[in-house]
């Protein structure tokens, strides 16, 4: 092992994915229990996501869910990956994170994205349209202003003002430029398109402007990582998510995760089959030795300071086993040489 794995932070984004035959409530409780277990395994952060009107995702209120996770854990950092800022007023977002930071001081992260909804119906329900994402940079500046107490309104965000909640920008589309100009840490994916990801990272580092929030660039690379006893077992972890993604691209709705065995028995139209097979490729999967080697390569190429693992699957026991194996890879890299 090189020192790269030993010095890299490993964190987790859990989307509270629903599963066939299981309720939304169960998915949310699974998320909280999962955070407790990952804290025991030594992961650095645990983030939750924001999705609206999606059958396959129970996590619709990330600051509420983050409060439940933080209340059930003691040491792991807790945050959002992310709050979709165009969906909300920046003052309200500042207040929510101010409350979280006040209740769980020194443990809260504020991951922010610029998505405005999965479908036209969701955007209408939120009172937003696609163009609202174009205002993300201004919304971000307003949000950070509430923490600094610089709002021209004369209003003060309580209890946010004066608190430091580390902000992160999810680099979708123009996100790398926005993160660089704002001087904020950047979360970028995905591992399936390494060249595009590297271009975004290079652009971010080139254009980064130091800020009160970050003196130098900080890159978090996100993506799916699946570790198992055999390459085939690791590959099977990818099947439910790949099928759900392919279904969403061909049917317009993102369904709950099915068991891998059910996907094996399905007959898919050619377009869906092609999307499904594409969704199985490009991730970091395999045995512990294989994954360690691939991670080392990614870290050398990107210079990332942190890896945010986003793996979801139907089999919760196999999912936890994958994260346990990944933690073991990192622990072994950090162990003193004999």
């Amino acid at each position: 092992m090189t020192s790269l794995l030993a010095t890299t932070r490993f964190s987790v984004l859990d989307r509270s994915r629903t599963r066939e035959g299981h309720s939304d409530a169960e998915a949310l409780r699974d998320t909280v229990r999962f955070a407790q277990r990952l804290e025991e395994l030594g992961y650095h952060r645990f983030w939750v996501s924001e999705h609206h009107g999606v059958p396959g995702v129970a996590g619709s209120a990330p600051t509420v869910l983050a409060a439940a996770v933080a209340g059930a854990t003691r040491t792991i950092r807790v945050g959002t990956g992310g709050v979709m800022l165009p969906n909300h007023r920046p003052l309200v977002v500042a207040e929510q994170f101010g409350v979280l930071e006040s209740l769980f001081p020194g443990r809260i992260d504020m991951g922010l994205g610029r998505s405005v909804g999965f479908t036209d119906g969701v955007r209408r329900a939120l009172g937003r349209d696609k163009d609202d994402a174009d205002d993300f940079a201004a919304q971000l500046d307003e949000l950070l202003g509430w923490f600094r107490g610089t709002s021209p309104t004369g209003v003060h965000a309580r209890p946010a003002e004066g608190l430091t909640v580390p902000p992160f920008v999810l680099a979708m589309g123009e996100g790398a430029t926005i993160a660089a100009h704002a001087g904020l840490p950047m979360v970028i994916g995905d591992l399936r398109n390494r060249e595009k990801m590297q271009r975004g990272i290079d652009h971010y580092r080139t254009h980064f402007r130091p800020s009160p929030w970050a003196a130098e660039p900080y890159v978090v690379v996100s993506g799916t990582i699946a570790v198992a006893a055999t390459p085939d077992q690791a590959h099977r972890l990818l099947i439910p998510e790949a099928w759900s993604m392919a279904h969403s691209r061909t049917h317009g709705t993102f369904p709950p995760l099915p068991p891998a065995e059910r996907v094996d028995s399905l007959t898919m139209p050619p377009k869906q089959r092609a999307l499904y097979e594409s969704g199985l490729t490009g991730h970091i999967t395999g045995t512990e030795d294989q994954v360690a080697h691939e991670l080392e390569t990614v870290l050398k190429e990107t210079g990332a300071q942190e890896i945010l693992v986003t793996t979801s699957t139907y089999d919760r026991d196999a999912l936890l086993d994958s994260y346990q194996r990944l933690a073991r890879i990192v622990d072994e890299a950090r162990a003193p040489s004999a």
Side-chain angles (χ1 to χ4, degrees):
M1 296 286 183
T2 70
S3 61
L4 289 177
L5 280 170
T7 58
T8 301
R9 291 168 167 167
F10 280 79
S11 301
V12 175
L13 168 64
D14 187 76
R15 294 188 175 90
S16 302
R17 293 287 275 115
T18 54
R19 298 179 293 153
E20 288 186 358
H22 300 266
S23 67
D24 288 347
E26 189 173 351
L28 294 170
R29 289 192 291 266
D30 283 343
T31 289
V32 176
R33 285 192 293 264
F34 195 40
Q36 293 173 319
R37 188 69 186 97
L38 293 176
E39 179 178 64
E40 294 170 3
L41 292 172
Y43 283 90
H44 183 63
R45 311 180 202 275
F46 187 91
W47 283 4
V48 296
S49 63
E50 176 182 341
H51 296 273
H52 299 283
V54 180
V57 183
S60 57
T63 54
V64 177
L65 185 53
V69 169
T73 54
R74 296 181 298 107
T75 57
I76 195 169
R77 296 194 63 86
V78 177
T80 56
V83 164
M84 296 302 148
L85 198 50
N87 292 339
H88 311 281
R89 294 302 306 166
L91 169 61
V92 176
V93 175
E95 290 170 338
Q96 290 172 346
F97 279 98
V99 169
L100 285 170
E101 177 64 21
S102 297
L103 292 173
F104 309 102
R107 291 180 55 205
I108 301 301
D109 300 321
M110 185 168 59
L112 304 162
R114 60 193 294 268
S115 173
V116 286
F118 186 62
T119 66
D120 289 337
V122 169
R123 288 189 287 270
R124 285 195 300 271
L126 291 169
R128 299 292 185 269
D129 58 44
K130 289 183 179 181
D131 293 340
D132 287 319
D134 297 337
D135 297 329
F136 179 68
Q139 294 162 346
L140 179 63
D141 185 63
E142 180 184 343
L143 172 62
L144 299 180
W146 289 115
F147 287 92
R148 297 191 299 263
T150 58
S151 172
T153 64
V155 176
H156 299 275
R158 307 190 190 282
E161 187 173 312
L163 297 179
T164 299
V165 182
F168 295 75
V169 172
L170 276 60
M172 297 176 288
E174 299 176 6
T177 298
I178 293 169
H181 288 175
L184 300 181
M186 177 185 70
V187 183
I188 189 167
D190 66 40
L191 293 168
R192 298 178 62 230
N193 192 336
R194 304 282 178 88
E195 291 184 6
K196 181 179 179 182
M197 182 177 71
Q198 190 64 53
R199 287 196 302 271
I201 291 171
D202 292 343
H203 180 86
Y204 167 71
R205 289 201 174 106
T206 299
H207 295 89
F208 182 86
R209 301 172 183 171
S211 75
W213 305 95
E216 57 189 26
Y218 189 91
V219 174
V220 183
V221 169
S222 68
T224 295
I225 301 173
V227 198
T230 68
D232 181 65
Q233 289 174 349
H235 176 80
R236 290 191 68 75
L237 285 170
L238 307 177
I239 288 175
E241 186 78 31
W243 179 85
S244 292
M245 185 62 71
H247 186 278
S248 73
R249 296 279 298 278
T250 52
H251 293 77
T253 183
F254 199 69
L257 294 174
E261 294 74 21
R262 190 172 82 74
V263 178
D264 288 339
S265 67
L266 294 175
T267 300
M268 302 180 207
K271 181 180 179 181
Q272 184 174 348
R273 171 64 65 178
L275 289 167
Y276 165 68
E277 292 178 353
S278 173
L280 293 171
T281 63
H283 307 289
I284 295 180
T285 67
T287 64
E288 290 173 39
D289 286 344
Q290 290 171 326
V291 168
H293 175 76
E294 187 65 23
L295 281 172
E296 189 175 317
T297 299
V298 168
L299 292 170
K300 285 179 180 177
E301 291 175 351
T302 64
Q305 290 97 330
E306 188 167 342
I307 301 289
L308 181 69
V309 189
T310 63
T311 311
S312 298
T313 195
Y314 180 89
D315 187 333
R316 299 293 301 184
D317 291 336
L319 181 65
L320 179 58
D321 179 69
S322 176
Y323 279 101
Q324 288 172 326
R325 290 175 183 273
L326 178 57
R328 187 156 59 232
I329 291 170
V330 179
D331 288 343
E332 289 176 358
R334 292 171 177 167
S337 299

